[in-house]
Amino acid sequence: MEFVKMHGLGNDFIIVETDSWKDADQLQPHAQYLCDRHTGIGADGLVAVGHDEKMDIFMRIFNSDGSEPEMCGNGIRCVARYAYEKGWIEGENISVRTLAGARYPQVELIDGRVASVCVDMGQPVLERQLIPMQGEGSIVKVPLTTSQGEFEITAVSMGNPHCITFVNDINSVPIAAWGSEIENHAMFPAKTNVEFVQVLSRNELIMRVWERGAGITLACGTGACATLVAAVLNDLSDHKAIVHLLGGDLLIEWNEEDNRVYMTGPAQYVFSGTIDLD
Ligand code: ZDP
């Protein structure tokens, strides 16, 4: 099987072409092995991409634990660059079919090469049952009890669930200990991605992430979008901010006119190769 390794701010993916959305089913049993950083290729996720009947392309992602999330922000920037530079796309605007619905990346060129990608990540989902999150009422400043203490969280879905906690000192947060418990908390019937955020200003946030199905990663695009939305809902940020991640920075805007979230950041190649699945 041929593959290309790409990453968005160090959140890395194995990109594999499949003939159809359905054909990507055959990849899921191999995700754990292929993503293993010792016995496989090594990545945070496995991404299937190909031509779609209604949209320009489709994208399916499998986390390194083999689970299939609805959406992927760093990954969609990678497949946008991949499809553009393969010559699959006319122009710079791409329509992508995902499990979360249609998403619309736009490649940004310098000297004919993709320098960055701006993705319309759609509207944030703020209805508790659709995140999904147990209980009733607001999704802002919700008390969450864990074995490691009480948290005040804000939940946002970008097609996939995110649980955001604001902290005073990001470097003091035990990401793995808190993140792994909250990921599997009963409050989140589909589990959740877990973000910890320190606010530097109304236009600058630091975010660290424990990802559902992947653990600590260097960056999470959907998580950065959810972080900005949560910061606005808590009146801690304006509608446009830089989100600093371990792997680098993303520019996130929650547009007040169309209620859609826009994410801009890089997508980079690492290497290509072949691997024998058997
Ligand atoms: O929702 C989830 O299970 C995430 N782990 C999916 C991957 C999210 C990603 N890191 C991103 O950038 O949004 C690819």
Side-chain angles (χ1 to χ4, degrees):
M1 178 185 80
E2 292 185 351
F3 67 89
V4 171
K5 187 77 194 296
M6 297 185 77
H7 74 89
L9 299 181
N11 186 204
D12 59 345
F13 307 97
I14 300 157
I15 311 282
V16 175
E17 290 181 30
T18 60
D19 291 337
S20 70
W21 176 278
K22 182 67 182 152
D23 281 358
D25 286 350
Q26 297 161 32
L27 286 179
Q28 187 163 17
H30 301 286
Q32 272 186 294
Y33 152 61
L34 292 173
C35 291
D36 188 290
R37 297 190 187 279
H38 299 287
T39 61
I41 300 165
D44 293 325
L46 172 63
V47 172
V49 64
H51 297 282
D52 187 66
E53 290 152 17
K54 294 182 180 160
M55 315 291 279
D56 290 325
I57 60 174
F58 64 81
M59 174 190 78
R60 290 179 71 178
I61 172 172
F62 303 105
N63 285 315
S64 54
D65 72 348
S67 60
E68 182 174 13
E70 303 83 352
M71 184 46 200
C72 163
N74 289 316
I76 200 169
R77 296 200 313 275
C78 291
V79 302
R81 176 170 186 181
Y82 182 89
Y84 179 83
E85 293 187 351
K86 274 273 184 179
W88 291 358
I89 310 297
E90 287 180 19
E92 295 158 16
N93 296 295
I94 305 170
S95 58
V96 184
R97 175 189 175 190
T98 78
L99 207 49
R103 294 292 185 269
Y104 300 95
Q106 178 182 33
V107 295
E108 299 174 333
L109 306 174
I110 293 180
D111 299 332
R113 293 184 63 80
V114 176
S116 63
V117 184
C118 176
V119 187
D120 170 356
M121 297 286 284
Q123 299 185 356
V125 173
L126 306 178
E127 294 77 36
R128 200 159 177 153
Q129 291 70 25
L130 301 180
I131 288 180
M133 184 176 171
Q134 301 284 17
E136 302 294 330
S138 169
I139 47 94
V140 179
K141 292 191 172 76
V142 180
L144 187 76
T145 303
T146 76
S147 67
Q148 307 189 57
E150 293 288 318
F151 290 80
E152 182 183 83
I153 65 104
T154 296
V156 175
S157 170
M158 291 305 300
N160 58 346
H162 295 271
C163 174
I164 297 101
T165 302
F166 294 96
V167 298
N168 294 323
D169 175 11
I170 196 75
N171 294 317
S172 68
V173 174
I175 305 280
W178 290 1
S180 53
E181 181 166 351
I182 295 172
E183 174 194 1
N184 298 287
H185 197 285
M187 180 82 85
F188 298 98
K191 298 186 181 181
T192 186
N193 296 285
V194 187
E195 286 84 12
F196 299 97
V197 182
Q198 181 178 340
V199 178
L200 296 180
S201 76
R202 295 191 63 86
N203 303 102
E204 210 174 350
L205 309 169
I206 301 176
M207 187 267 271
R208 298 289 180 266
V209 63
W210 172 273
E211 282 199 37
R212 178 182 64 169
I216 291 176
T217 63
L218 295 182
C220 183
T222 51
C225 295
T227 290
L228 186 277
V229 170
V232 171
L233 293 174
N234 283 273
D235 194 21
L236 296 170
S237 169
D238 294 341
H239 278 255
K240 191 171 187 177
I242 292 285
V243 179
H244 298 297
L245 300 142
L246 278 175
D249 297 345
L250 287 173
L251 175 61
I252 310 292
E253 178 183 8
W254 183 11
N255 188 294
E256 296 182 84
E257 288 164 14
D258 62 13
N259 186 37
R260 304 176 81 85
V261 181
Y262 295 87
M263 168 192 63
T264 303
Q268 291 165 283
Y269 289 100
V270 185
F271 64 89
S272 57
T274 57
I275 189 165
D276 181 356
L277 286 184
D278 302 324

